[in-house]
Amino acid sequence: MTTSNTNLRRHPGLNLGPSHGKAHEEAESVVFGFWVFLMSDLVTFAMFFAIYATSIQATAGGPGNADIVDVTSIALQTGSLLISSLLFGVATVAMKYHSSKRVVILWLLASLAFGLCFLGLEIRDFIDAAEKGAVPMRSSYLSSYWALVGLHGLHVSVGSLMILVVCVQIAFFGFASDVKTRVLRLGLYWHFLDIIWIGIFSVVFLPGLLS
Amino acid sequence: MNNKDERAHDLRMYFTGFIAAVILTALSFLTAILQPFGSVGIFASLAVLAAVQIAVHFRFFLHIDVSRQKREELQLILFTGLIILIMVAGTVWVLGNLMTRMM
């Protein structure tokens, strides 16, 4: 029974396992609470997608979907987010198996670096779009485009800030049990943003190449 | 399973998910760039690829599956899915209708 218990999953995401004692016990309720937040956030994103879908033709003669898509930049952004997610996963695995603080912080900072690459490319695309006159005030379509893609970008910015915050917390407090569960929750958030991004490139950017 | 095996197993989970995600993303982008089928076929394949990739992310990054003991989070996902289905379908229906009347 003990061997199967070690593999028993208590909550979404990577489970720390019994060797983490208090943090493993606490994780069940706090991670589930965070999961409820993520699912409600998913509903918010879904509504932004719905509004985007209904206003796709409401360009009012301004720039449309096809005019603002830079496929190379989107591919690079997708790659950065995926690599960032993978590196965050590696960081949580390192934490689970009691690697040193330095190792975990380095993986987290590597993950943050790719998150910032994503943000940099996205901001560059937004600036390019604005220079082409595709500002949010131009049309109903562009308002919904900026709102949807911008909301995701805002989430990534907050996530990047939080990665920095947990790195500082690990450095100062070490692996206290609430710091560990915080890293787990941030991991869920970071992987969740990838899922939203799949929706964004499939619904917003790739169809733009067709027209 | 000893500690080292478990660690390898956990890492393999993330790397499997990553490789599958990269392949599916590449297929999506290639479909949109090369446009091998008509527009209905392209939209259908983009939708299928996105759905599969979302499932991959849930399985390998968020570690959600159907077989283990804890079911609440899966039920929450399914319930959220229902809410989204109702709200998104309603929005697209009503506002889409309004949009066609405005055109």
Side-chain angles (χ1 to χ4, degrees), chain A residues 15-178:
Chain A
N15 282 222
L16 290 173
S19 73
H20 286 266
K22 190 157 166 275
H24 184 54
E25 297 297 321
E26 283 175 359
E28 183 170 356
S29 55
V30 292
V31 172
F32 184 69
F34 194 72
W35 189 250
V36 175
F37 157 70
L38 286 182
M39 289 298 106
S40 55
D41 213 21
L42 188 62
V43 174
T44 310
F45 271 111
M47 292 318 292
F48 276 77
F49 274 109
I51 296 298
Y52 179 85
T54 53
S55 56
I56 192 125
Q57 285 167 10
T59 51
N65 197 1
D67 304 313
I68 26 184
V69 182
D70 173 1
V71 70
T72 323
S73 171
I74 299 305
L76 287 174
Q77 288 173 41
T78 310
S80 315
L81 268 193
L82 276 176
I83 294 170
S84 179
S85 221
L86 175 70
L87 292 173
F88 204 110
V90 174
T92 49
V93 172
M95 184 180 77
K96 176 175 174 179
Y97 294 100
H98 306 282
S99 297
S100 68
K101 289 199 279 187
R102 224 183 52 147
V103 171
V104 176
I105 290 176
L106 279 177
W107 284 115
L108 286 175
L109 289 179
S111 174
L112 173 66
F114 279 96
L116 293 178
C117 281
F118 168 84
L119 277 177
L121 288 164
E122 181 158 73
I123 289 168
R124 200 195 60 173
D125 279 3
F126 271 142
I127 292 171
D128 281 353
E131 278 172 352
K132 287 178 195 160
V135 287
M137 302 77 91
R138 179 66 187 80
S139 67
S140 167
Y141 165 72
L142 286 167
S143 305
S144 62
Y145 167 83
W146 281 74
L148 174 58
V149 182
L151 185 68
H152 178 269
L154 198 63
H155 274 76
V156 177
S157 319
V158 172
S160 304
L161 194 65
M162 290 319 288
I163 292 181
L164 215 53
V165 170
V166 293
C167 283
V168 171
Q169 288 184 338
I170 292 170
F172 275 89
F173 308 125
F175 288 118
S177 57
D178 48 354

Side-chain angles (χ1 to χ4, degrees), chain A residues 3 6-14 28 32 35-36 39-40 42-43 46-47 50-51 53-58 71 74-75 78-79 82-83 85-86 89-90 92-94 96-97 99 187-188 191-192 194-195 198-199 201-202 206-207 209-210, chain B residues 1 3-4 6-8 10-11 14-15 18 21-22 24-25 28-29 31-33 35 39 42-43 46-47 49-51 53-54 57-58 61-65 68-70 72-74 76-77 80 83-84 87-88 91-93 95-96 99-100 103:
Chain A
T3 42
T6 53
N7 295 320
L8 199 96
R9 238 167 29 82
R10 285 166 173 267
H11 57 75
L14 189 71
E28 183 170 356
F32 184 69
W35 189 250
V36 175
M39 289 298 106
S40 55
L42 188 62
V43 174
M47 292 318 292
I51 296 298
T54 53
S55 56
I56 192 125
Q57 285 167 10
V71 70
I74 299 305
T78 310
L82 276 176
I83 294 170
S85 221
L86 175 70
V90 174
T92 49
V93 172
K96 176 175 174 179
Y97 294 100
S99 297
L188 285 185
H191 298 315
F192 167 79
D194 261 20
I195 294 180
I198 299 170
F201 77 66
S202 305
L206 294 184
L209 298 175
L210 307 182
Chain B
M1 218 164 31
N3 219 7
K4 212 173 170 187
E6 274 185 40
R7 184 186 181 130
D10 282 341
L11 279 176
Y14 281 103
F15 277 94
F18 176 73
V22 167
L24 289 164
T25 307
S28 284
F29 275 76
T31 311
I33 293 167
Q35 303 181 8
S39 77
I42 291 173
F43 278 114
L46 283 182
L49 286 167
Q53 198 178 345
I54 287 170
H57 278 241
F58 269 114
F61 289 157
L62 296 172
H63 305 256
I64 302 287
D65 57 42
R68 302 293 171 81
Q69 272 80 356
K70 293 296 282 181
E72 283 98 330
E73 66 264 18
L74 183 66
L76 190 57
I77 294 173
T80 311
I83 296 286
I84 287 174
M87 288 170 71
V88 170
T91 306
V92 171
W93 182 16
L95 288 184
M99 185 181 70
T100 39
M103 286 295 144

